[in-house]
Amino acid sequence: MKNTVPVSIGSREPLDECDLLAVACFAGESPEVEGLGEAWRAAAARVAARTGWEGRPEQRGETAVEQGALSLCGLGRREDLTWRKLSAWLVRVADAAQVNGAARLTFLLPRHRETMGEAAAERIARVLALSDYRFDRFLSAATARRPRLSRVTILPPAGEEATYAAAVARTASLAAAIALARDLGNTPANEATPLWLEERAAELARERGIGFTVLHREELEQRGMGGLLAVGGGAIHPPRLLRLEVGSEGPIVALVGKGVTFDSGGISIKPAADMDEMKYDKCGACAVLALAWLAADLALPLRLRVYMPLAENVLDSRSYRPGDIIRFPNGKTAEITNTDCEGRLILADAMSLASEEGAEVLLEYSTLTGACIMALGRHAAGLFTPDDGLAADLLAAAERTGEKLWRLPVGPEYLEEMKGVHADLRNLATRWGGASTAAAFLSQFVGGLTRWAHLDIAGVAYVGRDQNSHPGATGYGIALTLDYLRRLTGTP
Ligand code: BES
Ligand code: MN
Ligand code: ZN
């Protein structure tokens, strides 16, 4: 699969051919090299004996062995190792291997709570399968390209071989789905218009036998989808609502994803700085499309319905204005106080349809508010739901996949602030609690459903230029949603 690298499990002796063997070493300990051949163990000992070797985090020493090279990597103190540090290590080594043209990379994993058990094995397999991901479609041949990895081999901690073998097998199509969502998310708005995303979704649906329908302008008008029509009104690329349907038995699960192909803010225009990053404002839609593909690939026993409201929020004489009042399919009206609060408007249309079509669980993903980034930084997504059971399930899933998720409030006090003057609602209230007031707005479009959740992924859907590594879409939420759906349906 393009953009994912094949991951497999290997043995320590004989060691499969590799260009680089990465061995971890905790501070104050000797390298865990039991079971490796003599030459490799001697190489690790050689590096560990160098003056200055302490096994500090990020410390690395290389030495050539007849069959390849060994890289001894410090991980710091054993008790300080977290998933964040471990995954950063995996990525760093893969980066270094690529730069040095080492195509076949092997990791010897130490025994540690972060490397043992099913969830850890799946996290590690997923990160490694994606360690060669790049979005280079627009780089000309003249621009230096890094060599690619051809395969990654894991040497699991002793006794964990079967766990890892199962995890690696399960993770391959998950990694492919994440790479797909990243490719779509990274595609700039001059190519990734609502029409382009419709074509990509149609292709995937055709390949996988997924039910696919599109509501174009005319159908949006018939159904009274005032949010999409307003937000998408200024663009030459018309808005639409994509609907995908996978599976014919089991619980009805609706996934909704915000698909603003570019968010300039509209008439309430955004400042220029970092506005280019608003090409990522479609990452929620990209994630749910990838999940539809994944559910079909894995034949999950559920009736999955995926809704992708797509629109471009730009300026024109046809753009919607502050002060406009719009109407949604469920009859509610909203006054526009700020055209940059567009996500909730297109989501209102899509969530109304999802709840009308009998969703039993509704999960919605959106790069919705800067306020959520203010609250949580770029480390965690915000979780908003009135359902404690659903919150617990989603938080547990996120814990297992290593995608940080933090529950924030949604409730009547926030909803009160969203009352309009001349309409039922307004789309922006005060400066305070913006992530929760946005969630309260969405709560008006789920019918009588209580098992719904909104995940505000504004801070985690992409890595910005200013952050230290690998800028671009992340595919956040796909792994945790798959984990949740597996448990919901009792699928191993
Ligand atoms: N798409 C943005 C939210 C966003 C901001 C996502 C930064 C990723 C990074 C959303 O449509 C938006 O513009 N929200 C505004 C609302 C404001 C005008 C009240 C925001 O949060 O800044
Ligand atoms: Mn906006
Ligand atoms: Zn937006």
Side-chain angles (χ1 to χ4, degrees), residues 258 260 262-263 270 278 281 313 340-343 367-369:
K258 172 178 173 181
V260 173
F262 185 72
D263 182 13
K270 287 183 181 298
M278 286 301 111
D281 215 15
N313 187 22
D340 198 11
C341 297
E342 82 297 337
T367 45
L368 200 63
T369 70

Side-chain angles (χ1 to χ4, degrees), residues 224 226-227 230-231 320-338 341-342 344-346 348-349 418-428 441-442 444-445:
V231 174
Y320 75 134
R321 318 154 190 78
D324 284 3
I325 294 177
I326 64 175
R327 197 179 289 277
F328 298 101
N330 69 355
K332 291 213 152 70
T333 58
E335 203 162 65
I336 306 307
T337 36
N338 187 311
C341 297
E342 82 297 337
R344 62 200 70 180
L345 305 176
I346 67 171
D349 286 341
M418 299 310 287
K419 295 245 160 11
V421 176
H422 294 125
D424 301 334
L425 296 162
R426 55 176 169 171
N427 76 332
L428 172 63
F441 186 96
L442 296 176
Q444 298 306 286
F445 300 93

Side-chain angles (χ1 to χ4, degrees), residues 349-383:
D349 286 341
M351 290 167 71
S352 297
L353 182 61
S355 62
E356 196 182 293
E357 290 187 336
E360 294 165 48
V361 185
L362 189 160
L363 306 177
E364 176 274 313
Y365 306 77
S366 47
T367 45
L368 200 63
T369 70
C372 191
I373 313 180
M374 289 291 183
L376 302 174
R378 311 200 67 159
H379 304 295
L383 171 65

Side-chain angles (χ1 to χ4, degrees), residues 106-121:
T106 299
F107 281 92
L108 175 57
L109 296 177
R111 289 182 74 78
H112 190 274
R113 68 185 137 70
E114 288 298 333
T115 63
M116 316 270 284
E118 190 179 308

